[in-house]
Amino acid sequence: MDLQLLDQTLADRGEPPFRARQVWAWMARGVDGYEEMTDLPAPLRRALARELPFSSLTLENEMHSADGTVKALFATADGRPLEAVLMRYRSPPGGGSHPGGRTPPGGGGGRRSVCVSSQSGCPLTCAFCATGSMRFARNLTASEILDQALHFRRIEPIDHCVFMGMGEPMMNLDAVLAACEQLPALGVTHRRTTISTVGWIPGIERLADSPMPIRLALSLHAAEDSLRSELMPVNERYPVAEVIEACRAFYARKRRRVFIEYVMLAGVNDRYEQALALARLLAATGAGIFKVNLIPYNPTGSGFSGASRESIAAFRDALQARGIPATVRLTRGRDIAAACGQLATGFSPAAR
Ligand code: SAH
């Protein structure tokens, strides 16, 4: 829903200002259409249905993974493709919520996390990521970002949001932050919202200035510049030391631990010495600032292969032994190409 257009449409019809809040409150609770907004006069509901698209996105396709993950392919009004993902986690016995195993669709009652796109395609060209190989179209608007989350909110309640879909959120930060401002109405607090970046320093600095306590995640993937530049050309512009310094400043400002994402590529960045180099880099910046998420590589047809389970575990142990908290990310939705790095319209794992 385009919230500006909503205000405009209601104002044009001479409706009082509280109407927009009423409509938005229904939207955010996940109703399927204007007809369900029962405290609006029926003629107004009909008029809205005629004049104001319920979503700025059209659902083109939806895929369901065996692990409960759902991937949605949307088109914008001008025909640009994008994808978003709903991840369902089983709650462990005894309550709380943390990543668990298989979840029956709709069941489980654990964490419900939506992974949204900030751009259609991505202008950056990380070597291992499928999104970088599709054509970059444009930044998404705040409404187009929010409508991804609303789509899943209409399926079931949600409580986490990660900007880890297509695109680089820091290159579209105004729209991303405008969408974040509305997320609490959908059940997603700022503390449960994470923005992931390749290390776009101006964006990290602006997020540090935002009053919203949003979490920052950095896609690092290599501790030294030469390798990182090979994997992520953006490193030429924002090299490791400067990016890590921006994260340190973010932590100093917000007191929120920064997550380091590190995709484990066999024979490329998964060696023991590389774990030690990463531990040195992070430890030198200060204790308690970083937590490392090791991401098993998801096939994208890029020519890389994933590190073995054993080398991922050894890498994690080496970090932990040096006081750097590290976990291995649970892979979700790989069978429907919904996992990290696999979002690209037209990409299907079976076709490669
Ligand atoms: N542009 C932002 C937001 C996208 S997040 C960023 O890069 O942080 C998507 C995450 O998935 C990033 O950490 C990215 O590096 C990671 N990723 C990309 N390709 C991957 C792959 N093939 N396997 C596993 N993770 C991958």
Side-chain angles (χ1 to χ4, degrees):
M1 144 121 0
D2 184 331
L3 293 178
Q4 265 167 351
L5 200 58
L6 170 66
D7 285 343
Q8 190 58 50
T9 309
L10 292 170
D12 288 351
R13 298 183 54 84
E15 291 289 338
F18 65 82
R19 287 286 183 229
R21 287 196 299 276
Q22 268 179 317
V23 172
W24 172 241
W26 282 108
M27 274 306 266
R29 266 180 274 148
V31 297
D32 288 316
Y34 294 109
E35 65 283 357
E36 289 180 43
M37 302 183 177
T38 48
D39 56 1
L40 300 187
L44 176 60
R45 281 184 257 160
R46 285 195 294 273
L48 287 174
R50 271 195 316 273
E51 291 170 28
L52 183 64
F54 197 65
S55 174
S56 59
L57 302 174
T58 309
L59 181 66
E60 301 274 309
N61 191 15
E62 201 168 68
M63 293 172 82
H64 296 257
S65 164
D67 65 21
T69 301
V70 183
K71 180 172 81 166
L73 166 66
F74 301 100
T76 61
D78 59 343
R80 308 304 194 172
L82 63 123
E83 293 181 322
V85 179
L86 170 68
M87 292 163 292
R88 296 160 159 150
Y89 299 92
R90 185 184 63 193
S91 50
S97 65
H98 86 90
R102 267 173 95 94
T103 306
R111 175 149 63 95
R112 296 287 184 269
S113 190
V114 293
C115 174
V116 296
S117 293
S118 54
Q119 299 179 313
S120 172
C122 184
L124 303 175
T125 51
C126 301
F128 44 82
C129 180
T131 307
S133 63
M134 72 180 265
R135 204 165 71 85
F136 172 65
R138 62 165 171 82
N139 282 339
L140 299 177
T141 65
S143 305
E144 289 164 343
I145 295 169
L146 210 50
D147 276 325
Q148 299 168 53
L150 280 167
H151 170 76
F152 292 120
R153 177 64 190 86
R154 289 195 277 276
I155 299 177
E156 63 195 37
I158 55 174
D159 49 29
H160 286 72
C161 181
V162 296
F163 284 81
M164 296 187 185
M166 291 178 173
E168 170 51 40
M170 297 301 190
M171 296 176 82
N172 184 21
L173 197 55
D174 286 328
V176 165
L177 292 180
C180 287
E181 280 172 16
Q182 308 295 338
L183 282 174
L186 279 67
V188 180
T189 62
H190 300 318
R191 291 185 171 278
R192 290 171 168 184
T193 301
T194 301
I195 296 180
S196 178
T197 179
V198 295
W200 197 263
I201 293 176
I204 297 174
E205 292 172 348
R206 277 193 57 204
L207 186 63
D209 282 339
S210 155
M212 293 183 272
I214 294 170
R215 189 181 287 288
L216 174 67
L218 169 68
S219 295
L220 187 62
H221 309 317
E224 71 285 8
D225 279 315
S226 54
L227 177 58
R228 190 165 191 266
S229 291
E230 263 175 55
L231 297 174
M232 307 176 70
V234 69
N235 188 69
E236 298 284 334
R237 183 155 176 183
Y238 299 118
V240 172
E242 290 171 29
V243 173
I244 292 293
E245 169 53 24
C247 292
R248 191 204 56 74
F250 178 91
Y251 178 84
R253 192 77 193 274
K254 310 288 270 191
R255 294 284 148 193
R256 295 223 70 200
R257 184 143 71 166
V258 176
F259 286 172
I260 300 289
E261 295 160 275
Y262 194 103
V263 55
M264 294 291 288
L265 305 168
V268 175
N269 66 354
D270 65 338
R271 288 197 307 278
Y272 179 72
E273 308 83 74
Q274 290 167 315
L276 299 188
L278 177 59
R280 271 197 304 278
L281 173 73
L282 301 181
T285 312
I289 301 182
F290 296 108
K291 178 184 173 203
V292 177
N293 257 316
L294 299 174
I295 313 178
Y297 170 74
N298 297 306
T300 60
S302 62
F304 291 98
S305 43
S308 67
R309 247 172 205 279
E310 296 71 39
S311 55
I312 297 177
F315 203 97
R316 177 198 58 207
D317 293 346
L319 291 170
Q320 284 179 342
R322 279 150 193 85
I324 307 292
T327 53
V328 180
R329 181 179 288 174
L330 204 71
T331 297
R332 312 293 302 214
R334 208 187 253 179
D335 55 339
I336 55 167
C340 304
Q342 291 186 315
L343 299 189
T345 50
F347 170 73
S348 98
R352 303 257 173 158

